[in-house]
Amino acid sequence: MRGEELRLEFHQQLASLREGLVRLGAMTAETVSMGTSVLLDRDLAGAQRLIDGDDVIDELSLEIEEECFRVLALQAPMAGDLRFLLTTLRVVSELERSADLMVNVCKASRRVYDIDFTPKLRGLLDSMGVEAAFLIRAAIDAFVDSDTSLAAALDDIDDRLDDLQVTYVEAIFE
């Protein structure tokens, strides 16, 4: 009976990790959307809220990582479960980094508060924010649902974001 209890606990831990990762992905995608709005709207109070709110993302990231390490140490997962845990660790790191980058955008938005963006730059920044948030959501969906076709499409989505970024830099120098 103890073995069955351990397996049940193990699967509950994996489900909890999956839920935490989805929550972290949603928070990160929202941070990207909010950061874009803060920049475009010159919302200094919103910038500060986003900067202050990053601690919640940092804490959740740390909790997920610690749980992954605990499961790795105590459950000795094999094959697919091991891949899930290792990938979760990698994804958590990338999501946390993405949220930190948006904090940097918010800090920068305070320095460019008095600069007017041209309509073209505003449109490009808005499009980049939308694409980035969509990419995060799609990546989380692909991972959680083990959707290999969506995962394969992520490269194309990322390429669109890269193209927008190149266009944005070119527009700055116009």
Side-chain angles (χ1 to χ4, degrees):
M1 190 69 161
R2 179 71 180 138
E4 288 177 27
E5 290 172 8
L6 285 175
R7 293 310 295 166
L8 179 61
E9 179 184 349
F10 174 66
H11 289 290
Q12 288 171 340
Q13 288 171 314
L14 294 181
S16 176
L17 284 168
R18 186 173 279 109
E19 290 169 12
L21 189 64
V22 168
R23 192 167 63 251
L24 181 63
M27 291 169 69
T28 302
E30 182 62 24
T31 296
V32 168
S33 296
M34 286 175 46
T36 303
S37 294
V38 159
L39 178 63
L40 293 174
D41 297 341
R42 299 176 177 182
D43 180 1
L44 295 178
Q48 191 59 51
R49 280 191 306 275
L50 196 141
I51 292 165
D52 294 342
D54 186 56
D55 290 343
V56 175
I57 290 176
D58 293 343
E59 289 173 21
L60 180 57
S61 298
L62 187 59
E63 288 172 16
I64 294 169
E65 287 174 348
E66 288 174 350
E67 184 63 17
C68 281
F69 290 129
R70 193 172 10 265
V71 171
L72 284 167
L74 299 176
Q75 298 288 350
M78 303 294 288
D81 294 330
L82 180 60
R83 285 189 297 276
F84 170 79
L85 290 167
L86 296 176
T87 303
T88 297
L89 286 169
R90 172 83 192 231
V91 170
V92 165
S93 173
E94 293 298 320
L95 289 172
E96 196 275 331
R97 187 175 74 76
S98 296
D100 285 345
L101 289 172
M102 288 314 298
V103 166
N104 292 341
V105 166
C106 286
K107 289 177 180 177
S109 74
R110 297 184 302 192
R111 291 190 300 273
V112 297
Y113 177 75
D114 58 345
I115 294 175
D116 285 325
F117 293 109
T118 66
K120 181 176 183 176
L121 290 177
R122 289 182 66 78
L124 287 166
L125 285 168
D126 186 54
S127 294
M128 289 168 65
V130 169
E131 283 291 322
F134 177 76
L135 181 61
I136 291 167
R137 288 184 190 100
I140 294 300
D141 289 346
F143 176 65
V144 169
D145 298 337
S146 299
D147 186 338
T148 55
S149 61
L150 180 55
L154 293 176
D155 262 351
D156 293 335
I157 298 167
D158 186 54
D159 288 345
R160 289 195 318 252
L161 188 55
D162 291 343
D163 291 343
L164 283 169
Q165 192 267 340
V166 168
T167 304
Y168 176 75
V169 171
E170 289 170 352
I172 289 174
F173 289 110
E174 288 175 1

